[in-house]
């Protein structure tokens, strides 16, 4: 049996890019597999960037509610909050003592972040050690991640091997799983949709605000009658991912022939989003109204996670002579 594990940082409310690119595929994978799966909210990692207790708490709930609203089944998947399993920080320390400082200095993600952020703290630097601990603490075999996380997975494999070689077989060496067909969702400006770019579509706002975000999508300035290339249109790119094949074909033909304006296309997209995500939005708001319920689910998940974590930690402690 292969254990699947992945973590998600809670740096804000997940946007449409996160939902279509990461949440829906991961939930599908967790629900389809007969293997054990672990999915957690990496709120300790978020602390490297967010220093506001209320925001951290809100983001954790928003992230948890999104996963649940998109079908994560907490009876099947061990769903927990990283900070509820303090064993992870102990393991992160042991791992840090087995990984060369010079190698950690080569991490791309630290280089990128340290160039763009004002708060370059040591947590940001040792981030990959905590991430390695997240994975090794559960004997995970498979870790589904985006391409940007591949180097972190290499570091995890490296530190696990170094420890095993020096102290004896202790850790399972995990493998990254990259979703080849992970969709690249464009934002309102046509660039990759990203929190940091002010180009997101947040489906968890009221209809009026949601409509405003859609109306903000940048387009060319062609008149209604002009034929348009659908592949070059930011509205169509989103429509294509959300609507049914028949509806996509219909709109495509209208674009090519001319006769459909950008305003109308945006209206169509807005209605599709409302329709497709109606159930998820309702569930999301319901969960946020019942935070106690979400809290209880996360604590049950953490309880299960800690049982496993303590077993692995016991193994590591004995290896280092504690
Ligand atoms: P952001 O770029 O908004 O900060 P994150 O880096 O926190 O998003 O990404 C969280 C997850 O969502 C990752 O698995 C990432 O691959 C996925 N993701 C983020 N933006 C997009 C996008 N525009 N299209 C597809 N997937 C995305
Ligand atoms: N660093 C990951 C990201 O930014 C989140 C994460 C933390 C993670 N710990 C993990 C992912 C362990 C997979 C496994 O997306």
């Amino acid at each position: 049996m292969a254990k699947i594990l992945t973590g998600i940082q809670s740096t804000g409310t997940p946007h449409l890019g996160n939902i279509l690119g990461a949440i829906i595929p991961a939930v599908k994978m967790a629900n389809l597999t007969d293997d054990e799966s672990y999915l957690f909210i990496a709120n300790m990692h978020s602390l490297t960037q967010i220093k506001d207790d209320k925001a951290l708490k809100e983001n954790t709930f928003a992230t948890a509610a999104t996963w649940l609203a998109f079908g994560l089944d907490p009876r099947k998947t061990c769903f927990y909050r990283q900070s509820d399993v303090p064993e992870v920080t102990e393991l992160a320390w042991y791992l840090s003592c087995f990984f060369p400082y010079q190698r950690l200095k080569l991490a791309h993600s630290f280089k990128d972040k340290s160039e763009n952020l004002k708060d370059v703290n040591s947590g940001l630097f040792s981030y990959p050690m905590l991430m390695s601990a997240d994975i090794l603490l559960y004997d995970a075999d498979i870790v589904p991640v985006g391409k940007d996380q591949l180097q972190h997975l290499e570091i995890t494999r490296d530190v696990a091997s170094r420890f095993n070689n020096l102290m004896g077989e202790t850790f399972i060496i995990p493998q990254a799983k990259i979703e080849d067909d992970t969709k690249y969702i464009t934002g309102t400006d046509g660039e990759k949709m990203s929190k940091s770019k002010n180009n997101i579509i947040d489906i968890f706002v009221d209809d009026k605000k949601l409509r405003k975000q859609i109306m903000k999508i940048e387009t060319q300035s062609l008149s209604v009658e002009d034929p348009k290339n659908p592949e070059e249109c930011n509205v169509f790119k989103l429509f294509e991912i959300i609507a049914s094949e028949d509806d996509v074909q219909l709109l495509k033909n209208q674009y090519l022939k001319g006769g459909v304006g950008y305003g109308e296309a945006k209206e169509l997209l807005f209605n599709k989003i409302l329709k497709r995500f109606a159930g998820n939005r309702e569930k999301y708001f319901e969960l946020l109204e019942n935070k106690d319920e979400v809290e209880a689910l996360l604590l049950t998940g953490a309880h299960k996670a800690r049982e496993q974590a303590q077993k692995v930690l016991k193994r590591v402690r004995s290896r280092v002579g504690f």
Side-chain angles (χ1 to χ4, degrees), residues 5-9 40 42 45 127 131 134-135 143 145 149 152:
L5 173 146
T6 198
I8 11 143
Q9 270 206 73
F40 68 95
H45 278 117
Y127 185 112
M131 178 156 163
D134 285 329
I135 298 168
V143 185
V145 281
Q149 296 298 316
H152 288 154

Side-chain angles (χ1 to χ4, degrees), residues 6-23 49 67 144-149 182-187 191-197 199-200:
T6 198
I8 11 143
Q9 270 206 73
S10 45
T11 35
T13 305
H15 55 70
L16 195 58
N18 300 141
I19 292 172
L20 296 170
I23 297 178
Q49 287 180 47
W67 282 87
V145 281
K147 281 201 195 80
D148 57 323
Q149 296 298 316
T182 304
K183 294 190 187 89
Y184 171 95
I185 313 298
T186 48
E191 298 286 310
K192 180 179 182 245
M193 191 180 291
S194 178
K195 273 185 291 284
S196 52
K197 290 195 199 135
N199 67 354
I200 65 159

Side-chain angles (χ1 to χ4, degrees), residues 201-215:
I201 294 180
D202 176 359
I203 64 162
F204 300 123
V205 290
D206 61 41
D207 292 7
K208 203 171 150 199
K209 285 199 188 124
L210 180 55
R211 189 168 178 279
K212 218 168 154 185
Q213 296 176 57
I214 309 284
M215 294 302 151

Side-chain angles (χ1 to χ4, degrees), residues 119-168:
D119 176 14
V120 182
N121 53 69
S122 330
L124 205 60
F125 181 71
S126 53
Y127 185 112
M129 293 293 103
L130 184 59
M131 178 156 163
S132 301
D134 285 329
I135 298 168
L136 301 175
L137 194 54
Y138 301 94
D139 285 336
D141 302 289
I142 311 244
V143 185
V145 281
K147 281 201 195 80
D148 57 323
Q149 296 298 316
L150 269 187
Q151 194 187 35
H152 288 154
L153 255 293
E154 273 318 309
I155 293 176
T156 306
R157 291 163 59 86
D158 189 354
V159 70
S161 306
R162 286 172 193 265
F163 190 101
N164 285 353
N165 288 340
L166 277 167
M167 314 305 282

